[in-house]
Amino acid sequence: MNLMYGFGLLAAGLSIINAIFSYQAKAIDPGFGPMLWFQLRMLPLMFFSNVMIGYGVKYLYRAFQSLTFALTVSKGLEILVCVVMGYLFLKEVPTWRTYAGLGVVVCGFVLTRWK
């Protein structure tokens, strides 16, 4: 159950944060005033997203009993969410380098769990 809670909270928190930054990159004027106003309005969402990410890492740590592995899983999930948000907001199609990077992260998973 800890594993499901951890993945769910991490996915939700990372998706919200990356959606905020993706929307900002696409639709918000890069001037200081509009960007500051947008960020001030997004503070509650950023706060709750950070709480979700914190609890997600905590539940993954409970599930795996390894903080290194829990943080590696969260980083891999973050990269995957970034790729999805890049496609949804900016229509960026992943290249072979993207898949190679994801492969490096997966290899990192294996190396951290290898005894």
Side-chain angles (χ1 to χ4, degrees):
M1 205 61 176
N2 285 334
L3 190 62
M4 289 175 43
Y5 288 150
F7 275 118
L9 287 169
L10 271 174
L14 291 169
S15 295
I16 292 170
I17 285 178
N18 282 293
I20 289 170
F21 286 132
S22 297
Y23 180 78
Q24 174 183 324
K26 183 175 182 175
I28 303 299
D29 181 37
F32 182 74
M35 193 171 294
L36 178 65
W37 179 239
F38 176 74
Q39 286 297 324
L40 285 174
R41 289 185 295 166
M42 292 296 115
L43 275 176
L45 278 177
M46 294 293 280
F47 173 76
F48 288 118
S49 297
N50 280 323
V51 170
M52 284 191 273
I53 292 168
Y55 274 105
V57 170
K58 182 177 180 176
Y59 282 124
L60 285 179
Y61 173 71
R62 286 185 186 170
F64 295 117
Q65 294 301 313
S66 171
L67 184 60
T68 302
F69 189 71
L71 292 174
T72 306
V73 168
S74 70
K75 194 54 69 176
L77 188 59
E78 180 179 5
I79 292 170
L80 186 63
V81 167
C82 287
V83 170
V84 170
M85 290 298 161
Y87 179 74
L88 291 176
F89 281 92
L90 303 173
K91 303 298 182 220
E92 294 177 352
V93 178
T95 64
W96 68 270
R97 290 179 293 217
T98 306
Y99 296 116
L102 289 173
V104 168
V105 172
V106 169
C107 289
F109 285 169
V110 172
L111 289 175
T112 60
R113 295 306 293 174
W114 202 352
K115 297 204 179 207

